[in-house]
Amino acid sequence: TIVDFVQQKWAQQTGRLRHRHVLVTAGGTRERIDPVRFISNDSSGKMGYAIATAAANEGADVTLVSSTTTLSAPAGVEIVHVAGAKEMLNQMQHRFAQQDAVIMAAAVADFRPVEEATQKIKKTADNDTMTIKLTKNPDILKTLATQKTKQVMVGFAAETEHLLANAQQKLTDKKLDMLVANDVSRKDIGFNADNNQVIILRPNQEPEKLPIMTKSELAAELVDRVVTLLPGK
Amino acid sequence: TIVDFVQQKWAQQTGRLRHRHVLVTAGGTRERIDPVRFISNDSSGKMGYAIATAAANEGADVTLVSSTTTLSAPAGVEIVHVAGAKEMLNQMQHRFAQQDAVIMAAAVADFRPVEEATQKIKKTADNDTMTIKLTKNPDILKTLATQKTKQVMVGFAAETEHLLANAQQKLTDKKLDMLVANDVSRKDIGFNADNNQVIILRPNQEPEKLPIMTKSELAAELVDRVVTLLPGK
């Protein structure tokens, strides 16, 4: 719309992320078993899309690498559709060097099938059971961390138990600048809900627990904190 | 809308399926691995939703058992959300007796994980691989066939190779009155596309190949054929 267009032009002049490149990922990756089946997870992509929108509202050049296809692309954001984790990493790697911040809101599958069948695996009378062998996916944030120059790296931790301990471990392990932890065992927040409540972890800082808010409101809060982490700010 | 409402009232007076109960299924079932992960397939649910709409347009009392949550419920259709195949069968079984036709457009997973973990399975340093043991899901149409009294039973076959042979086998094996076969290896039709092209199989009849058309048009064609199969027509 014209309103979006004017807002965007204004943000490009005045936003706190003008001339900055921000890479955002969204959605649950789909790891193929065969041409019709896959392993995935409950991430709807809503959080990542909200963050991409919030970053664009601050004037950033945003690239959204998305493994969901049910949400429409935010205005003024470049969108790259991917399926599995390997493809997501690949698309991120050759865009990484010019980024100022990488916000990894996608729920990347930890494992993928060792083999992807080229034809649909048929159910037959003699196969009452089936075994799928999985292998670990590349750790995208860890892989990118080895190529890091200036990028502010933000990760997410979706946990169903031991939230803070697991999140703290992830922050350290992946050498992140910020980690957003949320408890996905609660139905009112997290995956596919419109609201979210998170705890923000940063190195050498006390965890910051935010109140429950909409995903758009939370996206603005997160982008606000990314701004303060950027060099030269 | 008022137009929908008037159209629906009109259909209830004049439609060829008035006073008939039709059960339609839609979407790819989600078979849980743990609270955040599942195995699913590419079925978008569009075909099933289109069929539910077409049956309602003919004045039927339609129940739509759906394993997708991204489409909005057609006007005047009762919708029942389910996740996995076992839950789908369960919801269908206690509605089966009063149905006149069952149209199984859902893509039911052939297999589900033997165990569903109650907490998110964590990736650890020492689990580079993982194995998921799967067991066969109940065959919904075969199970319902044993309880069949008057119901017209319609199935779908989504295949990537040997389309006609696999479909013919399914028609016989599941004792169906009609089977709708489509080649999901083609990107322009089938899963998630807006168009579809199918071959209709019925016992003791030559396969009928329909031209390519939108899923709504196809839904009307299929409902038209279901009408002719109903006893007393």
Side-chain angles (χ1 to χ4, degrees), chain B residues 97-136:
Chain B
Q98 73 261 37
Q99 300 304 322
D100 295 288
V102 174
I103 306 173
M104 191 84 193
V108 178
D110 292 328
F111 297 92
R112 69 172 183 279
V114 174
E115 287 178 84
E116 180 186 330
T118 55
Q119 296 295 341
K120 181 180 174 185
I121 301 164
K122 296 292 295 173
K123 176 174 68 167
T124 59
D126 59 338
N127 63 349
D128 270 354
T129 60
M130 189 175 139
T131 301
I132 304 180
K133 287 213 176 95
L134 305 176
T135 183
K136 223 180 239 182

mmCIF file of all heavy atoms in Angstrom, chain B residues 97-136:
data_model
loop_
_atom_site.group_PDB
_atom_site.id
_atom_site.type_symbol
_atom_site.label_atom_id
_atom_site.label_comp_id
_atom_site.label_asym_id
_atom_site.label_seq_id
_atom_site.Cartn_x
_atom_site.Cartn_y
_atom_site.Cartn_z
ATOM 1 N N ALA B 97 -21.630 -44.074 11.424
ATOM 2 C CA ALA B 97 -22.918 -44.757 11.230
ATOM 3 C C ALA B 97 -23.946 -43.900 10.488
ATOM 4 O O ALA B 97 -24.669 -44.402 9.628
ATOM 5 C CB ALA B 97 -23.475 -45.214 12.582
ATOM 6 N N GLN B 98 -23.993 -42.600 10.800
ATOM 7 C CA GLN B 98 -25.026 -41.755 10.170
ATOM 8 C C GLN B 98 -24.625 -41.168 8.818
ATOM 9 O O GLN B 98 -25.392 -40.409 8.221
ATOM 10 C CB GLN B 98 -25.470 -40.632 11.125
ATOM 11 C CG GLN B 98 -24.463 -39.490 11.323
ATOM 12 C CD GLN B 98 -23.664 -39.637 12.603
ATOM 13 O OE1 GLN B 98 -23.299 -40.753 13.004
ATOM 14 N NE2 GLN B 98 -23.360 -38.533 13.244
ATOM 15 N N GLN B 99 -23.417 -41.500 8.329
ATOM 16 C CA GLN B 99 -22.972 -40.894 7.070
ATOM 17 C C GLN B 99 -23.574 -41.594 5.847
ATOM 18 O O GLN B 99 -23.811 -42.799 5.871
ATOM 19 C CB GLN B 99 -21.441 -40.950 6.949
ATOM 20 C CG GLN B 99 -20.685 -40.233 8.062
ATOM 21 C CD GLN B 99 -21.066 -38.772 8.213
ATOM 22 O OE1 GLN B 99 -21.292 -38.081 7.219
ATOM 23 N NE2 GLN B 99 -21.170 -38.298 9.457
ATOM 24 N N ASP B 100 -23.764 -40.808 4.775
ATOM 25 C CA ASP B 100 -24.152 -41.377 3.488
ATOM 26 C C ASP B 100 -22.940 -41.533 2.572
ATOM 27 O O ASP B 100 -22.928 -42.388 1.698
ATOM 28 C CB ASP B 100 -25.202 -40.478 2.824
ATOM 29 C CG ASP B 100 -26.486 -40.448 3.637
ATOM 30 O OD1 ASP B 100 -27.190 -41.470 3.630
ATOM 31 O OD2 ASP B 100 -26.755 -39.432 4.313
ATOM 32 N N ALA B 101 -21.957 -40.683 2.782
ATOM 33 C CA ALA B 101 -20.731 -40.786 1.980
ATOM 34 C C ALA B 101 -19.533 -40.346 2.808
ATOM 35 O O ALA B 101 -19.647 -39.455 3.661
ATOM 36 C CB ALA B 101 -20.844 -39.932 0.721
ATOM 37 N N VAL B 102 -18.419 -41.009 2.574
ATOM 38 C CA VAL B 102 -17.157 -40.648 3.229
ATOM 39 C C VAL B 102 -16.133 -40.384 2.131
ATOM 40 O O VAL B 102 -15.882 -41.251 1.287
ATOM 41 C CB VAL B 102 -16.671 -41.774 4.161
ATOM 42 C CG1 VAL B 102 -15.292 -41.457 4.720
ATOM 43 C CG2 VAL B 102 -17.666 -41.998 5.294
ATOM 44 N N ILE B 103 -15.583 -39.186 2.125
ATOM 45 C CA ILE B 103 -14.617 -38.806 1.089
ATOM 46 C C ILE B 103 -13.288 -38.507 1.764
ATOM 47 O O ILE B 103 -13.138 -37.522 2.480
ATOM 48 C CB ILE B 103 -15.121 -37.589 0.287
ATOM 49 C CG1 ILE B 103 -16.526 -37.888 -0.272
ATOM 50 C CG2 ILE B 103 -14.142 -37.241 -0.837
ATOM 51 C CD1 ILE B 103 -17.207 -36.695 -0.939
ATOM 52 N N MET B 104 -12.344 -39.385 1.535
ATOM 53 C CA MET B 104 -11.083 -39.373 2.287
ATOM 54 C C MET B 104 -10.000 -38.643 1.494
ATOM 55 O O MET B 104 -9.160 -39.269 0.841
ATOM 56 C CB MET B 104 -10.702 -40.843 2.524
ATOM 57 C CG MET B 104 -9.594 -41.059 3.493
ATOM 58 S SD MET B 104 -10.237 -41.068 5.204
ATOM 59 C CE MET B 104 -8.657 -40.950 6.059
ATOM 60 N N ALA B 105 -10.030 -37.319 1.545
ATOM 61 C CA ALA B 105 -9.039 -36.532 0.802
ATOM 62 C C ALA B 105 -7.772 -36.274 1.614
ATOM 63 O O ALA B 105 -6.780 -35.795 1.069
ATOM 64 C CB ALA B 105 -9.655 -35.210 0.361
ATOM 65 N N ALA B 106 -7.800 -36.584 2.902
ATOM 66 C CA ALA B 106 -6.604 -36.389 3.729
ATOM 67 C C ALA B 106 -5.489 -37.313 3.274
ATOM 68 O O ALA B 106 -5.741 -38.411 2.783
ATOM 69 C CB ALA B 106 -6.926 -36.666 5.197
ATOM 70 N N ALA B 107 -4.267 -36.845 3.420
ATOM 71 C CA ALA B 107 -3.111 -37.706 3.167
ATOM 72 C C ALA B 107 -2.676 -38.259 4.516
ATOM 73 O O ALA B 107 -2.001 -37.585 5.295
ATOM 74 C CB ALA B 107 -1.993 -36.904 2.517
ATOM 75 N N VAL B 108 -3.127 -39.472 4.801
ATOM 76 C CA VAL B 108 -2.860 -40.089 6.094
ATOM 77 C C VAL B 108 -1.469 -40.722 6.073
ATOM 78 O O VAL B 108 -1.149 -41.476 5.152
ATOM 79 C CB VAL B 108 -3.925 -41.156 6.411
ATOM 80 C CG1 VAL B 108 -3.626 -41.841 7.734
ATOM 81 C CG2 VAL B 108 -5.310 -40.530 6.432
ATOM 82 N N ALA B 109 -0.672 -40.419 7.066
ATOM 83 C CA ALA B 109 0.658 -41.019 7.147
ATOM 84 C C ALA B 109 0.521 -42.527 7.279
ATOM 85 O O ALA B 109 -0.292 -43.015 8.063
ATOM 86 C CB ALA B 109 1.405 -40.460 8.355
ATOM 87 N N ASP B 110 1.297 -43.283 6.505
ATOM 88 C CA ASP B 110 1.269 -44.743 6.605
ATOM 89 C C ASP B 110 1.863 -45.210 7.927
ATOM 90 O O ASP B 110 1.486 -46.235 8.467
ATOM 91 C CB ASP B 110 2.063 -45.362 5.450
ATOM 92 C CG ASP B 110 1.394 -45.132 4.104
ATOM 93 O OD1 ASP B 110 0.149 -45.082 4.074
ATOM 94 O OD2 ASP B 110 2.115 -44.985 3.096
ATOM 95 N N PHE B 111 2.846 -44.442 8.414
ATOM 96 C CA PHE B 111 3.559 -44.836 9.633
ATOM 97 C C PHE B 111 3.566 -43.721 10.665
ATOM 98 O O PHE B 111 3.510 -42.552 10.314
ATOM 99 C CB PHE B 111 5.015 -45.182 9.296
ATOM 100 C CG PHE B 111 5.163 -46.353 8.377
ATOM 101 C CD1 PHE B 111 5.224 -46.183 6.990
ATOM 102 C CD2 PHE B 111 5.231 -47.637 8.894
ATOM 103 C CE1 PHE B 111 5.363 -47.278 6.142
ATOM 104 C CE2 PHE B 111 5.376 -48.740 8.048
ATOM 105 C CZ PHE B 111 5.432 -48.549 6.665
ATOM 106 N N ARG B 112 3.680 -44.111 11.929
ATOM 107 C CA ARG B 112 3.858 -43.119 13.002
ATOM 108 C C ARG B 112 4.956 -43.623 13.936
ATOM 109 O O ARG B 112 5.209 -44.838 14.002
ATOM 110 C CB ARG B 112 2.557 -42.920 13.788
ATOM 111 C CG ARG B 112 2.166 -44.115 14.616
ATOM 112 C CD ARG B 112 0.993 -43.871 15.554
ATOM 113 N NE ARG B 112 0.748 -45.063 16.361
ATOM 114 C CZ ARG B 112 0.085 -46.130 15.950
ATOM 115 N NH1 ARG B 112 -0.418 -46.179 14.726
ATOM 116 N NH2 ARG B 112 -0.064 -47.171 16.742
ATOM 117 N N PRO B 113 5.608 -42.720 14.661
ATOM 118 C CA PRO B 113 6.627 -43.169 15.615
ATOM 119 C C PRO B 113 6.030 -44.130 16.647
ATOM 120 O O PRO B 113 4.915 -43.899 17.122
ATOM 121 C CB PRO B 113 7.082 -41.866 16.276
ATOM 122 C CG PRO B 113 6.838 -40.817 15.238
ATOM 123 C CD PRO B 113 5.570 -41.245 14.552
ATOM 124 N N VAL B 114 6.755 -45.196 16.972
ATOM 125 C CA VAL B 114 6.311 -46.178 17.968
ATOM 126 C C VAL B 114 6.084 -45.487 19.309
ATOM 127 O O VAL B 114 5.098 -45.725 19.982
ATOM 128 C CB VAL B 114 7.356 -47.311 18.122
ATOM 129 C CG1 VAL B 114 6.978 -48.242 19.259
ATOM 130 C CG2 VAL B 114 7.511 -48.079 16.813
ATOM 131 N N GLU B 115 7.004 -44.612 19.664
ATOM 132 C CA GLU B 115 6.869 -43.870 20.920
ATOM 133 C C GLU B 115 6.853 -42.372 20.663
ATOM 134 O O GLU B 115 7.599 -41.889 19.814
ATOM 135 C CB GLU B 115 8.052 -44.169 21.844
ATOM 136 C CG GLU B 115 7.994 -45.541 22.457
ATOM 137 C CD GLU B 115 9.223 -45.785 23.308
ATOM 138 O OE1 GLU B 115 9.218 -45.362 24.473
ATOM 139 O OE2 GLU B 115 10.191 -46.377 22.790
ATOM 140 N N GLU B 116 6.004 -41.672 21.420
ATOM 141 C CA GLU B 116 6.016 -40.213 21.366
ATOM 142 C C GLU B 116 6.653 -39.718 22.654
ATOM 143 O O GLU B 116 6.135 -39.967 23.743
ATOM 144 C CB GLU B 116 4.573 -39.695 21.236
ATOM 145 C CG GLU B 116 4.521 -38.181 21.179
ATOM 146 C CD GLU B 116 3.091 -37.617 21.204
ATOM 147 O OE1 GLU B 116 2.163 -38.286 20.718
ATOM 148 O OE2 GLU B 116 2.937 -36.506 21.734
ATOM 149 N N ALA B 117 7.802 -39.038 22.537
ATOM 150 C CA ALA B 117 8.497 -38.542 23.725
ATOM 151 C C ALA B 117 7.687 -37.437 24.383
ATOM 152 O O ALA B 117 7.070 -36.622 23.691
ATOM 153 C CB ALA B 117 9.881 -38.024 23.349
ATOM 154 N N THR B 118 7.667 -37.399 25.716
ATOM 155 C CA THR B 118 6.866 -36.383 26.406
ATOM 156 C C THR B 118 7.628 -35.063 26.523
ATOM 157 O O THR B 118 7.034 -34.022 26.718
ATOM 158 C CB THR B 118 6.441 -36.846 27.817
ATOM 159 O OG1 THR B 118 7.617 -37.201 28.532
ATOM 160 C CG2 THR B 118 5.501 -38.041 27.738
ATOM 161 N N GLN B 119 8.958 -35.106 26.407
ATOM 162 C CA GLN B 119 9.761 -33.881 26.404
ATOM 163 C C GLN B 119 10.553 -33.814 25.104
ATOM 164 O O GLN B 119 10.809 -34.841 24.477
ATOM 165 C CB GLN B 119 10.732 -33.850 27.598
ATOM 166 C CG GLN B 119 10.047 -33.815 28.963
ATOM 167 C CD GLN B 119 9.234 -32.551 29.220
ATOM 168 O OE1 GLN B 119 9.413 -31.528 28.561
ATOM 169 N NE2 GLN B 119 8.305 -32.625 30.172
ATOM 170 N N LYS B 120 10.926 -32.613 24.712
ATOM 171 C CA LYS B 120 11.723 -32.408 23.506
ATOM 172 C C LYS B 120 13.009 -33.229 23.572
ATOM 173 O O LYS B 120 13.750 -33.143 24.555
ATOM 174 C CB LYS B 120 12.061 -30.913 23.388
ATOM 175 C CG LYS B 120 12.879 -30.541 22.164
ATOM 176 C CD LYS B 120 13.171 -29.044 22.138
ATOM 177 C CE LYS B 120 14.111 -28.692 20.979
ATOM 178 N NZ LYS B 120 14.496 -27.264 21.009
ATOM 179 N N ILE B 121 13.271 -34.031 22.550
ATOM 180 C CA ILE B 121 14.496 -34.833 22.502
ATOM 181 C C ILE B 121 15.669 -33.887 22.247
ATOM 182 O O ILE B 121 15.679 -33.151 21.260
ATOM 183 C CB ILE B 121 14.415 -35.914 21.399
ATOM 184 C CG1 ILE B 121 13.214 -36.841 21.651
ATOM 185 C CG2 ILE B 121 15.710 -36.704 21.305
ATOM 186 C CD1 ILE B 121 12.811 -37.687 20.439
ATOM 187 N N LYS B 122 16.631 -33.869 23.161
ATOM 188 C CA LYS B 122 17.746 -32.945 23.050
ATOM 189 C C LYS B 122 18.846 -33.514 22.185
ATOM 190 O O LYS B 122 19.143 -34.699 22.201
ATOM 191 C CB LYS B 122 18.338 -32.639 24.432
ATOM 192 C CG LYS B 122 17.402 -31.912 25.390
ATOM 193 C CD LYS B 122 17.105 -30.485 24.953
ATOM 194 C CE LYS B 122 18.349 -29.599 24.968
ATOM 195 N NZ LYS B 122 18.047 -28.267 24.362
ATOM 196 N N LYS B 123 19.474 -32.614 21.429
ATOM 197 C CA LYS B 123 20.673 -32.961 20.676
ATOM 198 C C LYS B 123 21.827 -32.893 21.664
ATOM 199 O O LYS B 123 21.954 -31.922 22.392
ATOM 200 C CB LYS B 123 20.834 -31.925 19.565
ATOM 201 C CG LYS B 123 22.057 -32.034 18.722
ATOM 202 C CD LYS B 123 21.999 -31.044 17.571
ATOM 203 C CE LYS B 123 22.106 -29.590 18.061
ATOM 204 N NZ LYS B 123 22.362 -28.636 16.951
ATOM 205 N N THR B 124 22.643 -33.924 21.749
ATOM 206 C CA THR B 124 23.785 -33.871 22.656
ATOM 207 C C THR B 124 25.048 -34.179 21.865
ATOM 208 O O THR B 124 24.973 -34.598 20.705
ATOM 209 C CB THR B 124 23.649 -34.902 23.802
ATOM 210 O OG1 THR B 124 23.542 -36.203 23.201
ATOM 211 C CG2 THR B 124 22.426 -34.630 24.659
ATOM 212 N N ALA B 125 26.200 -33.960 22.487
ATOM 213 C CA ALA B 125 27.473 -34.137 21.779
ATOM 214 C C ALA B 125 27.648 -35.580 21.302
ATOM 215 O O ALA B 125 28.278 -35.838 20.285
ATOM 216 C CB ALA B 125 28.622 -33.727 22.684
ATOM 217 N N ASP B 126 27.079 -36.536 22.051
ATOM 218 C CA ASP B 126 27.324 -37.934 21.701
ATOM 219 C C ASP B 126 26.216 -38.583 20.861
ATOM 220 O O ASP B 126 26.280 -39.766 20.583
ATOM 221 C CB ASP B 126 27.594 -38.765 22.976
ATOM 222 C CG ASP B 126 26.432 -38.694 23.942
ATOM 223 O OD1 ASP B 126 25.663 -37.721 23.846
ATOM 224 O OD2 ASP B 126 26.305 -39.600 24.780
ATOM 225 N N ASN B 127 25.196 -37.829 20.472
ATOM 226 C CA ASN B 127 24.239 -38.447 19.547
ATOM 227 C C ASN B 127 24.304 -37.836 18.151
ATOM 228 O O ASN B 127 23.530 -36.979 17.792
ATOM 229 C CB ASN B 127 22.799 -38.475 20.104
ATOM 230 C CG ASN B 127 22.214 -37.073 20.329
ATOM 231 O OD1 ASN B 127 22.929 -36.075 20.274
ATOM 232 N ND2 ASN B 127 20.929 -37.015 20.558
ATOM 233 N N ASP B 128 25.261 -38.306 17.375
ATOM 234 C CA ASP B 128 25.433 -37.809 16.014
ATOM 235 C C ASP B 128 24.376 -38.375 15.080
ATOM 236 O O ASP B 128 24.123 -37.825 14.020
ATOM 237 C CB ASP B 128 26.816 -38.188 15.483
ATOM 238 C CG ASP B 128 27.826 -37.114 15.812
ATOM 239 O OD1 ASP B 128 27.410 -36.058 16.340
ATOM 240 O OD2 ASP B 128 29.014 -37.332 15.545
ATOM 241 N N THR B 129 23.823 -39.486 15.480
ATOM 242 C CA THR B 129 22.760 -40.064 14.672
ATOM 243 C C THR B 129 21.597 -40.380 15.599
ATOM 244 O O THR B 129 21.735 -40.379 16.818
ATOM 245 C CB THR B 129 23.201 -41.375 13.985
ATOM 246 O OG1 THR B 129 23.561 -42.301 15.007
ATOM 247 C CG2 THR B 129 24.369 -41.143 13.052
ATOM 248 N N MET B 130 20.474 -40.629 15.014
ATOM 249 C CA MET B 130 19.289 -40.931 15.795
ATOM 250 C C MET B 130 18.447 -41.858 14.933
ATOM 251 O O MET B 130 18.521 -41.802 13.708
ATOM 252 C CB MET B 130 18.546 -39.626 16.055
ATOM 253 C CG MET B 130 17.404 -39.721 17.032
ATOM 254 S SD MET B 130 16.742 -38.046 17.335
ATOM 255 C CE MET B 130 15.007 -38.432 17.347
ATOM 256 N N THR B 131 17.700 -42.731 15.556
ATOM 257 C CA THR B 131 16.866 -43.639 14.794
ATOM 258 C C THR B 131 15.444 -43.496 15.297
ATOM 259 O O THR B 131 15.205 -43.482 16.495
ATOM 260 C CB THR B 131 17.351 -45.090 15.008
ATOM 261 O OG1 THR B 131 18.714 -45.155 14.585
ATOM 262 C CG2 THR B 131 16.538 -46.062 14.175
ATOM 263 N N ILE B 132 14.523 -43.344 14.379
ATOM 264 C CA ILE B 132 13.118 -43.293 14.777
ATOM 265 C C ILE B 132 12.462 -44.575 14.310
ATOM 266 O O ILE B 132 12.486 -44.899 13.121
ATOM 267 C CB ILE B 132 12.392 -42.099 14.142
ATOM 268 C CG1 ILE B 132 13.109 -40.797 14.477
ATOM 269 C CG2 ILE B 132 10.950 -42.029 14.642
ATOM 270 C CD1 ILE B 132 12.434 -39.578 13.885
ATOM 271 N N LYS B 133 11.920 -45.337 15.247
ATOM 272 C CA LYS B 133 11.202 -46.563 14.887
ATOM 273 C C LYS B 133 9.755 -46.199 14.627
ATOM 274 O O LYS B 133 9.102 -45.570 15.441
ATOM 275 C CB LYS B 133 11.289 -47.587 16.016
ATOM 276 C CG LYS B 133 12.667 -48.195 16.128
ATOM 277 C CD LYS B 133 12.583 -49.654 16.598
ATOM 278 C CE LYS B 133 13.952 -50.303 16.618
ATOM 279 N NZ LYS B 133 14.595 -50.253 17.946
ATOM 280 N N LEU B 134 9.288 -46.645 13.467
ATOM 281 C CA LEU B 134 7.916 -46.337 13.081
ATOM 282 C C LEU B 134 7.089 -47.608 13.018
ATOM 283 O O LEU B 134 7.608 -48.690 12.735
ATOM 284 C CB LEU B 134 7.906 -45.688 11.692
ATOM 285 C CG LEU B 134 8.778 -44.448 11.514
ATOM 286 C CD1 LEU B 134 8.732 -43.988 10.063
ATOM 287 C CD2 LEU B 134 8.338 -43.325 12.422
ATOM 288 N N THR B 135 5.815 -47.449 13.296
ATOM 289 C CA THR B 135 4.898 -48.574 13.172
ATOM 290 C C THR B 135 3.760 -48.155 12.248
ATOM 291 O O THR B 135 3.494 -46.972 12.081
ATOM 292 C CB THR B 135 4.381 -49.022 14.563
ATOM 293 O OG1 THR B 135 3.555 -50.158 14.403
ATOM 294 C CG2 THR B 135 3.567 -47.911 15.242
ATOM 295 N N LYS B 136 3.134 -49.153 11.623
ATOM 296 C CA LYS B 136 2.089 -48.845 10.649
ATOM 297 C C LYS B 136 0.882 -48.206 11.323
ATOM 298 O O LYS B 136 0.442 -48.647 12.378
ATOM 299 C CB LYS B 136 1.653 -50.150 9.971
ATOM 300 C CG LYS B 136 1.480 -50.027 8.480
ATOM 301 C CD LYS B 136 1.044 -51.354 7.885
ATOM 302 C CE LYS B 136 2.025 -51.837 6.848
ATOM 303 N NZ LYS B 136 1.631 -53.097 6.203
#
